[in-house]
Amino acid sequence: MRLSTQVSKLVGTVTLAATLPLMANGLAAQPATTPYSIIVNSASDGEIRPDDELTLREAIEIVNGTLPVTALSNAEQARVTPAASPTINFNLPGDTTIALVEPLPPIAAAGTLVDGSSQPGYGPVSTTDTMVTPVPTPVVALTPAAGSEVFRGLTITADDVTVRGLSLYGFSARHRSTETTPPADIFITHLPPPIDAGLPDTPSWQELQPDADSDAPIGVVIEDNWLGMSPSGQMPPEEQMSAMGVFVFNGLDTAIRRNRIEFHEGSGIITGAQAMGMDVTENTMRANGIAGLPDGIRLDGNIDGAQIHGNLICGTDGSGVFMFKPEGSARIYQNDIRFNGRRFRRAAVYLMGNGHEVTENLIQHQPGPGVAIAAYPRSEGNIIRNNTFAAIDGLSVDLGFNDNIGIQDFQRKDGPNPPRNSAMRRRDTANGAINAPEFDQYVFPISEGQAALSGVADPGTTIDIYKVVDRTGYYGSLNEYVTTISADETGSFSVNLEAPEGTLLSAIATDDIYGTSEPSAITAVGTLGDGPTTPTMPSCEIAQDPPPEPAPEVPPEPLILRVPRTIHFALDRSDISAESAAIMDEIIAVLEEYPFITVDLQGHTDPRASNAYNQALGERRALAARNYLLQQGVAPERLRIRSFGETQRVSSGSERIDYARDRRTEFIFTDTRGLDIIYENLETDLQLE
C-alpha cells in the first residue's frame, strides 16, 4: 500500500495531497560531517541569527548540518563542541518552557540525543501511585506559542535518535482540506513530513524518496518523557491539548519506554505505514483518546514483531489496544489494562490479523469484552492465554462471526458463538471457529474436597481452566487460572480438581493452528451458587504490595447529595458557561469528599434538529462536562459519557423554558459500594434563548 493511501486511511477526514513539499524551504536536511555536543541556553524560538542565545531550533539545524558553526556568534560557538555523537543538552535559565512559533526542523542526524535530563533541576522522581515505573519530573517543556498552530513537537527521520526527559504538549491542528500527516508530540518517519499540500507542479513525496522502507529510521528511542501534559502533571486546557502522543508513521525497532502518556485527544501511541519490531514497555498511559481516535494504543500498518508489555493503560475512551487491518503479528503481554471504554463500549483489546499473542495481562473493568477478535478481515491463530479478567461486560474472549460486521461489531463483537457445525465456519469466524469447551455437567459432585471434571473440546486442543468470581448468566470473567489439561484425539478431557464447594469454573481451548476459543459456559463444584462479587472503586493506582486485610465495615447510611446533578447549555452550544462552571465546582467538591462515587455524564438536546445532529451535540456536551472535571483533577476512570440526543426530553412542551430544560448534561452518580444514593434535582442553571 502506498504511504499516501495509508495516511488518508488513518486520519479519516484528513487528506494527503498527491504533491507535497519535502520541507518548508524545499531542501532536505543533510547530517553534519562533524558531530557536536550543543548546550541550549535559550527558551526563545523564531528567527535564526547570531546572538548570545542558542535555541533548540538552532541546535537541531547544527546537528543536521544545515546551520554551519561558523555562522554562530562567539558566545554561541562556546556552547558547541565536537563530540563522539550529536547531543543536545539544556541549561535554560528562568523560564524553561520552549514556546514554538512554528514546527522545528526534523532531526535528521543519526545518533542524535536530545537530553532533557541534562537541565539543572531535573527530577525528582515522581512517586505517583498511578505510574508503572517512576519517571523523573521533566523541567524542559515544548509547547506551541500562544496563537501558533504547530502540528508536531519533534519529528525524527534518522536512525538511533533518542529523546529523553522532556515534556511535550499542545501539538495539534485545526482540520482543513490541506492538512496532511496528522499532528503528534513526537512523529517518526522516513522523511520530513510536509505541513500542507503544495502546488500541483511540485515533485511528489514518493518521488523524492522512492525506497521508503529501506530509509525508515531504525532504533529510535523515546524514554522518560511526559507526553500530553506540562511538568505540573495536570491536564492542559482544551486549547493546549495534543492530538496524539507518539506516532510511529514509519520506523523500525522503535523503543517507547518509561513515558507518561496522558490527556491526548487521540491515541497515546499510534502506528502508520510500518512499525516493525516496535517495543512499548513500562509506559503509564491514562486518559487518552478523549476527543478523537479513542484508543490508548492503535496499531496499523506493518507491526510484525511489535511487543507491548509492562504498561498501564487506564481511563482511555475506547480500547486499551486496538488493531486495524495490521500486517504481521504482535505480542501483548504482562500489561495492566483497566477502566477503559469511558466513551465507547469497546473491547479492552481488539485484534485483527493472524498470529497475535495476548498473554499474562490483567484486563478488568471494561464495558465490553476482554479480548475481541475480528472475523473480517479473516483473523486466526491468535493465542489468548494466562490472562486475568475481572468485571468484564461481555466474554473474556469473543470471536467475531462474519455476518456481524456493523460498526458495533468492530468495537465490541457479538457474544457466544454456536458450536461449529460445518467446515465453512472455519472461514467465517475468527480463530477458525474453534469450539469453546463444553463441560459434561452444570454441577459436578464433590467428594473429599475433590471434583472429577470432564467435557469435550476440539480434538488435541489445550484446555485452560479458570475460576470464575464475577458471573453474568451462564458466563463469567476468567478471574483466576487454575490448571491446564489436554483434550485427546476424540476431544474428551477430564481432570480431578481440588476446590471448595460452590466454586464456579470456566475454560478456554487453544489450538496450535487456529488459536484460542471463547470461554465455556460456567460449571460448578458441589453447588451452583451466584458467586460472590465485591464492588471495586475505580482507580488507576498500581498496587505495589499486597493490601492489608480490610477491617469489617458498618454499611453507611444512603448518601443525600444536596447538589445539582444537571447543567444546561445555550442553544446549539456545548461550552461550559460561568454559571455552569460554578455548579460543576459543587459537584467536584462532592466527588472529592466521596472518592467511591462514579459518574455517568449523559448529554441531551432539545428536539429542533436531526437525530444525527442532536446525537453528536449531546456527545459534545457530555465531553465538555467530562473534560472540565478532568482539568480539575477528577480521575478519568471515575467518569463515563453517553449521548441521548433528543430522545430523553424532560418536558413535552415547545416553549423557550421547555427547550432550555432539554439542553443539558446530567450527572448520574453511582456508589461503588453498592448503596443507593438519594439526591435532589435542582433547576438553577437554565439558559434561555
Side-chain angles (χ1 to χ4, degrees), residues 450-572:
Q450 284 199 340
L453 275 61
S454 61
V456 294
D458 282 0
T461 55
T462 300
I463 313 298
D464 295 329
I465 297 178
Y466 286 80
K467 181 179 177 181
V468 173
V469 175
D470 49 301
R471 167 192 174 189
T472 303
Y474 295 105
Y475 294 86
S477 299
L478 304 178
N479 297 116
E480 181 182 331
Y481 169 79
V482 176
T483 190
T484 297
I485 53 178
S486 296
D488 63 20
E489 64 276 5
T490 69
S492 298
F493 66 87
S494 61
V495 62
N496 290 327
L497 196 67
E498 292 186 7
E501 185 167 347
T503 299
L504 303 180
L505 301 170
S506 181
I508 51 177
T510 298
D511 183 277
D512 290 341
I513 296 176
Y514 295 111
T516 301
S517 74
E518 293 180 341
S520 70
I522 59 173
T523 189
V525 173
T527 303
L528 182 58
D530 290 334
T533 58
T534 303
T536 301
M537 185 186 307
S539 174
C540 289
E541 293 188 0
I542 302 296
Q544 305 295 341
D545 298 305
E549 289 293 329
E553 290 188 5
V554 178
E557 294 296 322
L559 298 176
I560 300 177
L561 302 181
R562 300 187 182 280
V563 60
R565 68 165 182 174
T566 305
I567 62 170
H568 296 86
F569 296 86
L571 176 64
D572 201 28

Side-chain angles (χ1 to χ4, degrees), residues 563-564 566-570 574-590 624-629 631-632 634 665 667 684-687:
V563 60
T566 305
I567 62 170
H568 296 86
F569 296 86
S574 59
D575 52 304
I576 305 294
S577 68
E579 294 80 7
S580 296
I583 291 175
M584 292 190 67
D585 290 342
E586 296 181 45
I587 294 173
I588 291 168
V590 171
R626 191 274 302 269
N627 290 350
Y628 185 92
L629 296 177
Q631 289 164 356
Q632 302 305 313
V634 178
T665 290
F667 300 82
T684 60
D685 185 36
L686 294 180
Q687 299 189 57

